[in-house]
Amino acid sequence: MATKKPLDKEQLFAHVDYTLLRPTATLAEIELMADEAVRYGAASLCIPPCYISRVRRHCPGLTISTVVGFPFGYATCGAKVAAAEHALEVGADEIDMMINLTDVKNDNILRVMTEVAVMKKAVGENILKVIIETCYLTEQEKIRLCEIVTVAEADYIKTSTGFGSGGAQLADVKLLSKHIGERVKIKAAGGIRSAAEIEEFIRAGCARIGTSTRYKELFAGK
């Protein structure tokens, strides 16, 4: 059986949501990553909501993603909707929302599904990625959340915030890929720090990869 040809730097980075969500990140650091995202062709730049309007002025053509309900997810649905709508108004293109894990652990699946559906309605044709924080979930909870994200018509299911007790795992990606609907894509994030890891997650079924590792470090020696 022939081995698959390795993906080149451009192909790999085209799947990357280039990310800087560190709470101490400065505008200079954010703008430098924005420039790199444009130069090297990232899928998007994922940044804190407070920087959206400034980055939109700095890089008018850049796809900007941002986070809502981040990183714990226990803001109310109304607060998340308001945050998403404002983010889109000031220049964001994509929303990565954290689900309410307390509802998952209370087995209040209807509330979880309602929140995702309401968020997708608020986001409209913009991309909605639903973060489920796999490190805190049982296998059955992961499967159920695949069903919820599918029924609620979100665009992506995302493994992790990168701020939990664990990040993306290939085993989780393989599990999610078996249980999501045909139109739902997978984003892996958290702890992915090399081109080899990016390629491994893409091969496992991910359409997007979230990483805060800088471009030169990701592709050192490639």
Side-chain angles (χ1 to χ4, degrees), residues 13 16-20 25-48 51-65 211-215:
F13 205 61
V16 168
D17 285 346
Y18 206 29
T19 302
L20 184 51
T26 65
L27 179 59
E29 289 175 307
I30 295 278
E31 288 183 341
L32 184 58
M33 288 191 73
D35 292 337
E36 290 178 357
V38 172
R39 183 181 310 126
Y40 301 117
S44 80
L45 179 73
C46 188
I47 55 175
Y51 283 122
I52 295 168
S53 60
R54 284 173 281 184
V55 172
R56 175 54 67 217
R57 290 192 295 271
H58 181 70
C59 292
L62 176 64
T63 298
I64 297 174
S65 55
T211 182
S212 58
T213 301
R214 297 294 292 276
Y215 182 89

Side-chain angles (χ1 to χ4, degrees), residues 141-150 157 176 179-180:
E141 287 168 342
K142 294 169 192 174
I143 292 171
R144 184 171 284 186
L145 284 166
C146 284
E147 296 166 354
I148 286 171
V149 169
T150 299
I157 189 166
L176 300 181
H179 295 282
I180 54 173

Side-chain angles (χ1 to χ4, degrees), residues 34 39 76 139 153 155 160 186 192 215:
R39 183 181 310 126
T76 64
E139 181 172 309
E153 300 185 344
D155 301 284
S160 321
I186 300 173
I192 301 172
Y215 182 89

Side-chain angles (χ1 to χ4, degrees), residues 10 38 52 63 67 87 92 96 104 137 143 150 154-155 158 165 170 174 181 188 190 201 205 207-208:
E10 291 75 17
V38 172
I52 295 168
T63 298
V67 289
D96 291 32
V104 176
L137 302 174
I143 292 171
T150 299
D155 301 284
K158 177 179 170 182
S165 61
L170 285 169
K174 292 172 183 177
F201 277 96
R208 293 284 187 93

Side-chain angles (χ1 to χ4, degrees), residues 51-124:
Y51 283 122
I52 295 168
S53 60
R54 284 173 281 184
V55 172
R56 175 54 67 217
R57 290 192 295 271
H58 181 70
C59 292
L62 176 64
T63 298
I64 297 174
S65 55
T66 194
V67 289
V68 166
F70 194 86
F72 300 116
Y74 45 43
T76 64
C77 181
K80 291 178 183 178
V81 167
E85 290 177 339
H86 181 69
L88 295 173
E89 286 173 6
V90 297
D93 302 290
E94 303 179 359
I95 302 294
D96 291 32
M97 67 159 283
M98 179 61 202
I99 62 163
N100 193 325
L101 280 174
T102 63
D103 286 335
V104 176
K105 294 303 180 181
N106 285 321
D107 200 31
N108 200 331
I109 298 308
L110 180 59
R111 282 177 64 92
V112 180
M113 184 177 294
T114 299
E115 179 177 83
V116 177
V118 168
M119 283 291 292
K120 181 55 189 172
K121 184 177 180 181
V123 169

